[in-house]
Amino acid sequence: MSHSPQTIRVVTYNIHKGVQGLGPTRRLEIHNLADAVQVLDADVVCLQEVRHINRREEKRFQHWPAGGQADFLAPPGYSSVYRTNAITRHGEHGNALLSRWPVVTHQHEDMSDHRFEQRGLLHVELLIHGRSLHVLVVHLGLVRASRVRQVAQLQRFVQREIPADAPLLIAGDFNEGGWRLGAAFASMGLQCWAGPAQPTFPARLPLAQLDHVFSRGLQPISLAAPQGRAWWRMSDHLPLIAEFEMGA
């Protein structure tokens, strides 16, 4: 894949912790995911359900990568930023961002709405062609009421932490269709691709687009979700590829 230098290609992808299947048929997909990230050829890759460490899986799978999955998935020359959302009995997982562009700063905010789901947002500032671009990587809750509160928290975070005139992307697994989210993000000056939805879940027979990229100061120009067996074997979500033109 190739794209023009004025175009920014952004991928958001819930990688299901790099493991697919149930019980004895469980298989390690992290190596295939690393190949996929390279093939997607994105400038910015926003990842959810990224494992940092997991002692049980490390013992179970012979080829479990040393170090965190975010670093393992980063193609040569990319920066990698990872922050933990959830600490579990055997390890921890969270959101990550891989970037072809230099990382200026990054921070994390807890978005957990109740004790059964640990959620968070990752805020990364990038320098693209000498200009600042802010990216928020999010993974919202499974319960609708939680998501409403988490979107309100996102709005407060943007007002507090990001200059009003700065280009901004908010990407991730929202666990919800875009039409419900559109109005909330429009009130913050963010838009998404106006064309048909690109279903991303469940990967094998995608019915709903739960993954989205919203933008401010960048014009959405295309949206796609690659389908087929190679993709649905890697995760329960398909990757979402969004392209933008950066304003003058």
Side-chain angles (χ1 to χ4, degrees):
M1 292 184 192
S2 65
H3 49 287
S4 83
Q6 305 90 284
T7 304
I8 296 172
R9 178 177 287 154
V10 179
V11 165
T12 184
Y13 200 179
N14 180 329
I15 64 162
H16 202 253
K17 303 174 187 134
V19 174
Q20 274 291 88
L22 295 167
T25 63
R26 291 175 83 234
R27 61 186 187 274
L28 187 60
E29 286 293 333
I30 198 71
H31 302 275
N32 292 330
L33 285 160
D35 292 342
V37 167
Q38 197 137 16
V39 164
L40 289 166
D41 188 33
D43 300 298
V44 180
V45 184
C46 302
L47 300 169
Q48 306 84 46
E49 293 197 22
V50 179
R51 278 201 163 122
H52 186 54
I53 50 168
N54 190 282
R55 290 170 288 274
R56 185 176 60 184
E57 302 288 45
E58 210 176 314
K59 290 192 186 88
R60 176 175 289 157
F61 292 109
Q62 191 183 344
H63 300 293
W64 188 261
Q69 289 182 344
D71 287 342
F72 182 76
L73 292 172
Y78 281 61
S79 302
S80 142
V81 179
Y82 164 87
R83 292 297 291 267
T84 296
N85 289 342
I87 295 172
T88 59
R89 188 173 158 200
H90 299 285
E92 52 191 87
H93 61 268
N95 297 331
L97 181 141
L98 315 177
S99 173
R100 202 173 241 153
W101 305 97
V103 172
V104 182
T105 60
H106 59 86
Q107 61 177 327
H108 174 269
E109 180 162 296
D110 184 14
M111 296 189 85
S112 305
D113 186 63
H114 53 81
R115 64 195 179 90
F116 301 105
E117 285 186 294
Q118 300 173 72
R119 303 285 183 186
L121 72 81
L122 171 64
H123 170 211
V124 182
E125 184 183 352
L126 302 172
L127 196 64
I128 298 189
H129 300 310
R131 295 183 60 193
S132 183
L133 171 66
H134 293 260
V135 186
L136 301 184
V137 186
V138 300
H139 188 187
L140 300 191
L142 296 170
V143 179
R144 167 113 183 102
S146 291
R147 293 194 296 272
V148 169
R149 287 187 288 268
Q150 286 165 338
V151 168
Q153 183 180 348
L154 261 177
Q155 290 171 312
R156 292 193 301 272
F157 183 90
V158 168
Q159 285 167 351
R160 189 180 74 234
E161 300 290 337
I162 297 169
D165 58 348
L168 168 64
L169 293 169
I170 302 181
D173 176 0
F174 290 81
N175 271 309
E176 187 156 328
W179 61 274
R180 271 191 159 156
L181 298 161
F185 286 104
S187 72
M188 300 158 64
L190 285 120
Q191 60 179 336
C192 62
W193 170 246
Q198 299 292 318
T200 54
F201 183 87
R204 191 169 191 152
L205 184 70
L207 301 170
Q209 187 187 324
L210 302 185
D211 305 271
H212 307 281
V213 187
F214 294 92
S215 68
R216 182 180 80 189
L218 302 121
Q219 186 61 38
I221 53 172
S222 73
L223 193 70
Q227 296 195 21
R229 187 173 189 272
W231 292 103
W232 61 248
R233 279 183 62 81
M234 285 189 280
S235 174
D236 59 343
H237 285 246
L238 297 171
L240 186 73
I241 308 163
E243 292 192 324
F244 300 89
E245 291 284 346
M246 203 154 182

